[in-house]
């Protein structure tokens, strides 16, 4: 049985260390609020320090970097910048919370002793992000960012003139497919059913696009290629027939899941689990608790929008503390 220890009450506690959490840390630290960042654990796919950008090799749409940079480098720079102004970091995963009264309470495991540590704060910024649903194939770990992606807006530019596959049948999949036709030679939508789940207007747009093709009733059984994507192994669920679809780019668009399980019953969420905030702010229903980044954004999901909302959350928290 682990022992529970407590720490002094903080002004600001930040949960998560992607673009939103680190930007919030920079702003909170510059405001002399001495934030503590619980940055997640490297072994956790849903709570990795640095967030999804740690799996992104090249970022070319983050303002200020003419030649682009690697995702891990951007996260390392942002973390160092926050630390320069006095932000503190603890590599641990939050296990439970209690936002029913002040001070707000968050419990996480001590990475060294294994004891449960209680962290208390007057304000909390939730920046735990979201994760893309994947196919569950061993090849995904090997080929992510090597022809395999989950974000057409982020990576589509790199596939100019390529033959691309998009996995999925909902609005997100068709939005990605239509966007990718700006760059690709062809885009093949692979769907496990005979009809799409997407809205009628999105279906009409996709069917009318001469670059988009469809493979129906099929699932991906493997991704070909050792160091880069070379094709998809498909199996038809009706006939059992197998085929190799030769593509050099694969975009998985079967959905995203916000990392909000630990906040069930404590914060309001929409039907998909994204945290709800007061329109125009980052404030949740709980006084002193703010949400930033992909954990409350199911629409844009970009590094720059996450960073922007992290700035907003830090300013909202600072002003809320001043008003007490």
């Amino acid at each position: 049985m682990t022992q529970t220890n407590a720490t002094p009450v903080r002004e600001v506690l930040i949960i998560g260390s992607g673009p939103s959490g680190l930007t919030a840390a920079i702003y909170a630290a510059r405001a002399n609020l001495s934030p503590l960042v619980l940055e997640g654990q490297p072994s956790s796919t849903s709570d990795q320090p640095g967030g999804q950008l740690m799996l992104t090799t090249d970022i070319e749409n983050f303002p200020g970097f003419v030649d682009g940079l690697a995702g891990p480098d951007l996260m390392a720079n942002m973390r160092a910048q926050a630390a320069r102004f006095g932000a503190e970091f603890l590599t641990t995963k939050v296990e439970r919370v209690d936002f029913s009264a002040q001070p707000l309470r968050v419990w996480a495991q001590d990475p060294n002793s294994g004891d449960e540590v209680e962290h208390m704060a007057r304000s909390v910024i939730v920046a735990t992000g979201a994760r893309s649903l994947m196919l569950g194939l061993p090849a995904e770990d090997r080929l992510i960012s090597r022809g395999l992606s989950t974000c057409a807006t982020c990576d589509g530019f790199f596939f100019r003139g390529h033959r691309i596959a998009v996995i999925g049948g909902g609005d997100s999949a068709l939005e990605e497919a239509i966007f990718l036709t700006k760059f690709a030679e062809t885009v093949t939508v692979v769907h496990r059913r005979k009809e799409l789940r997407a809205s009628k207007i999105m279906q009409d747009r996709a069917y009318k696009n001469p670059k988009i093709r469809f493979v129906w009733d099929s699932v991906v059984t493997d991704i070909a290629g050792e160091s880069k994507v070379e094709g998809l192994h498909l199996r038809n669920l009706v006939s059992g027939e197998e085929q190799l679809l030769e593509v050099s780019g694969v975009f998985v668009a079967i959905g995203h899941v916000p990392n909000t399980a630990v906040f069930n019953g404590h914060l309001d969420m929409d039907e998909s689990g994204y945290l709800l905030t007061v329109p125009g702010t980052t404030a949740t229903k709980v006084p002193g608790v703010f949400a930033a980044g992909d954990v409350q954004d199911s629409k844009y999901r970009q590094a720059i929008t996450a960073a922007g909302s992290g700035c907003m959350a830090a300013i909202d928290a600072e002003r809320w503390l001043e008003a007490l």
Side-chain angles (χ1 to χ4, degrees):
M1 184 174 181
T2 59
Q3 178 181 349
T4 299
N5 301 312
T7 61
V9 178
R10 294 270 182 168
E11 291 294 289
V12 178
L13 180 69
I14 300 170
I15 306 174
S17 59
S20 57
L22 292 179
T23 303
I26 292 168
Y27 273 79
R30 281 178 54 83
N32 292 322
L33 295 176
S34 303
L36 173 65
V37 181
L38 304 182
E39 62 178 348
Q41 292 178 320
S43 60
S44 174
T45 57
S46 64
D47 194 35
Q48 176 173 288
Q52 295 186 80
L53 288 191
M54 297 301 289
L55 303 175
T56 304
T57 52
D58 296 302
I59 301 173
E60 293 198 331
N61 57 4
F62 198 91
F65 298 92
V66 178
D67 298 318
L69 76 169
D73 290 343
L74 176 61
M75 292 298 92
N77 289 345
M78 294 177 72
R79 189 182 190 279
Q81 188 174 2
R84 173 193 168 200
F85 294 117
E88 297 179 46
F89 293 84
L90 187 62
T91 304
T92 185
K93 183 177 180 179
V94 172
E95 297 179 339
R96 57 191 178 102
V97 302
D98 183 356
F99 296 153
S100 62
Q102 281 284 346
L104 305 168
R105 302 161 74 197
V106 174
W107 288 268
Q109 190 177 70
D110 184 285
N112 298 315
S113 67
D115 292 341
E116 187 178 63
V117 178
E118 179 184 1
H119 300 275
M120 295 178 287
R122 299 170 72 197
S123 66
V124 171
I125 296 174
V126 178
T128 48
R131 65 188 186 279
S132 300
L133 293 175
M134 301 298 286
L135 301 171
L137 300 172
E140 290 176 322
D141 291 336
R142 180 177 76 249
L143 295 172
I144 190 73
S145 296
R146 293 178 172 84
L148 176 65
S149 175
T150 59
C151 179
T153 307
C154 310
D155 300 329
F157 177 81
F158 300 113
F159 293 86
R160 190 175 298 276
H162 288 235
R163 286 177 291 181
I164 298 174
V166 173
I167 316 301
D171 277 347
S172 295
L174 295 193
E175 286 173 8
E176 300 254 297
I178 293 168
F179 177 82
L180 289 167
T181 60
K182 297 178 181 180
F183 312 101
E185 177 184 333
T186 61
V187 177
T188 302
V189 176
V190 179
H191 187 41
R192 64 184 298 116
R193 298 181 179 85
K194 184 61 178 177
E195 22 332 276
L196 297 166
R197 294 181 290 105
S199 59
K200 183 66 165 56
I201 188 170
M202 291 303 300
Q203 293 190 42
D204 289 343
R205 290 175 183 172
Y207 288 142
K208 291 177 182 177
N209 194 307
K211 286 189 175 183
I212 296 180
R213 306 169 181 178
F214 294 88
V215 175
W216 303 107
D217 296 321
S218 298
V219 294
V220 180
T221 58
D222 199 4
I223 306 173
E226 285 301 316
S227 60
K228 63 179 181 179
V229 169
E230 297 176 358
L232 287 178
H233 292 281
L234 305 178
R235 184 178 72 249
N236 188 288
L237 295 174
V238 177
S239 66
E241 179 183 353
E242 298 190 359
Q243 67 165 306
L244 174 65
L245 178 66
E246 294 185 358
V247 293
S248 51
V250 176
F251 287 78
V252 181
I254 56 177
H256 292 78
V257 177
N259 300 318
T260 53
V262 73
F263 306 109
N264 282 333
H266 301 279
L267 298 173
D268 284 347
M269 306 176 187
D270 67 13
E271 59 184 12
S272 298
Y274 288 88
L275 297 184
L276 297 177
T277 55
V278 176
T281 78
T282 62
T284 69
K285 72 167 185 178
V286 178
V289 179
F290 306 87
D294 288 9
V295 75
Q296 51 84 53
D297 173 22
S298 62
K299 182 176 182 180
Y300 298 104
R301 296 195 297 263
Q302 299 297 302
I304 190 63
T305 53
S309 67
C311 164
M312 293 168 59
I315 293 173
D316 286 344
E318 179 186 3
R319 291 175 177 171
W320 183 83
L321 289 167
E322 287 177 349
L324 287 180

